[in-house]
Amino acid sequence: MTVQQAAADLLPISDPVALRQYYENQAAGIITIKPKVLFQKIEAGNAGPVPMKINVPSSGIGSVTLLEATALVSIVKLIQPARIFEFGTFLGYSTALLVENSDAACAIYSLDLGESHAGGKALDSYADADLRRDATINDAYLRDVQRAGTPRYLGGLADADAARLTLLKQDSRQFDPAAHGLVGTVDLVFVDGGHDIGTVAIDTANARTMLGDSGVIVWHDFNSAIHGDVTTFVNALAAAEPVLHIQHTMMAMLLVGDIGREFLRIGVESSAGEAA
């Protein structure tokens, strides 16, 4: 059975107990979960409401949706990372989410291309239809958007939050985690940089290096109608190990080691207690 067939034959998983049971019995494949599974886990681990800080999402191409933003914040709240790494700062929308919804002691690193990699083409010269059908044109536009401005969503960070954020400017394909002391020290990596399969593969390899034997990798643009290489890469990876896909989003997750097992456990023991 192919990865695509395995995913299509299953209804989305709708509760933490079913997720862990299925995950423990599934050696590989795409496992689709409803977004509410994340929210159920949040509720199980907290006696009262859990606040989150979020900006209204950008209306332009290249940002995450409101549901994706909420899912990403939920993942941060659930795994309580000590260090986060992001490939793809862009306008800083998801970066601000990671900073403002993580613990006050959490260090965040975000990497994006420097201005030298932008093409310098006027933004209004891009045709909207091309941006929505051609991955190469879309990526060139995103680089030029970045060149034309600063990560504007980071301007509102409190001084204490800004002090926890390190912005790196370089081609991620030349990035060396060891040079920044990040080998085996990161708990959560968000991969949303270059969308070609070569860059996604390198970013993912570096993400694994930074996680070491425990952590979570989240990819954006899985099942994107534009950036098909991300989907191709994640599907190929899922042929060898289980990958979670959050329904109604373009987000996929890889759970690694103790942090991954703890993520699966949240909401399971409380449900078992209620059933008893």
Side-chain angles (χ1 to χ4, degrees):
M1 180 180 290
T2 67
V3 170
Q4 291 83 355
Q5 286 173 332
D9 289 348
L10 292 170
L11 293 174
I13 290 172
S14 60
D15 68 83
V17 174
L19 171 59
R20 190 167 81 165
Q21 289 174 342
Y22 185 80
Y23 193 94
E24 290 177 344
N25 292 303
Q26 182 78 358
I30 301 293
I31 304 170
T32 300
I33 65 171
K34 292 185 177 182
K36 73 174 184 178
V37 174
L38 298 176
F39 309 148
Q40 289 168 338
K41 286 178 173 289
I42 291 283
E43 292 166 351
N46 297 272
V50 175
M52 60 184 287
K53 187 166 184 180
I54 190 168
N55 293 301
V56 174
S58 169
S59 63
I61 290 174
S63 185
V64 297
T65 67
L66 185 58
L67 177 57
E68 289 171 338
T70 305
L72 184 59
V73 169
S74 296
I75 293 166
V76 171
K77 298 287 187 182
L78 287 166
I79 71 172
Q80 294 289 301
R83 276 187 176 178
I84 300 172
F85 193 98
E86 175 186 47
F87 288 101
T89 312
F90 191 45
L91 300 179
Y93 182 83
S94 55
T95 316
L97 285 174
L98 296 170
V99 173
E100 295 185 311
N101 292 284
S102 56
D103 186 82
C106 178
I108 299 92
Y109 297 78
S110 185
L111 181 150
D112 216 333
L113 290 170
E115 293 183 1
S116 62
H117 292 271
K121 186 176 178 179
L123 298 181
D124 60 6
S125 66
Y126 287 93
D128 186 70
D130 290 339
L131 296 178
R132 298 183 184 280
R133 67 170 178 79
D134 189 295
T136 301
I137 294 174
N138 184 284
D139 269 345
Y141 172 79
L142 295 178
R143 289 192 293 271
D144 283 333
V145 169
Q146 182 196 34
R147 176 190 57 82
T150 58
R152 58 191 176 94
Y153 288 97
L154 302 181
L157 292 179
D159 290 345
D161 284 337
R164 298 190 287 118
L165 173 63
T166 300
L167 295 176
L168 304 172
K169 292 291 186 181
Q170 71 172 102
D171 189 326
S172 70
R173 294 170 298 183
Q174 276 77 56
F175 173 66
D176 178 11
H180 299 274
L182 295 175
V183 175
T185 67
V186 177
D187 300 319
L188 172 63
V189 180
F190 184 45
V191 180
D192 192 19
H195 299 101
D196 62 281
I197 199 161
T199 301
V200 176
I202 292 171
D203 290 351
T204 301
N206 279 326
R208 287 186 181 271
T209 297
M210 288 188 281
L211 293 188
D213 59 4
S214 183
V216 174
I217 299 174
V218 178
W219 294 271
H220 189 241
D221 289 301
F222 175 71
N223 282 348
S224 166
I226 302 171
H227 299 294
D229 276 8
V230 179
T231 306
T232 298
F233 176 83
V234 173
N235 277 337
L237 184 149
E241 53 194 317
V243 174
L244 303 184
H245 168 237
I246 304 169
Q247 187 185 34
H248 304 311
T249 77
M250 293 190 292
M251 295 173 65
M253 299 173 59
L254 179 69
L255 307 177
V256 179
D258 289 343
I259 291 176
R261 285 187 286 272
E262 175 61 17
F263 175 88
L264 290 171
R265 186 196 64 78
I266 299 171
V268 174
E269 293 181 358
S270 60
S271 297
E274 290 171 5

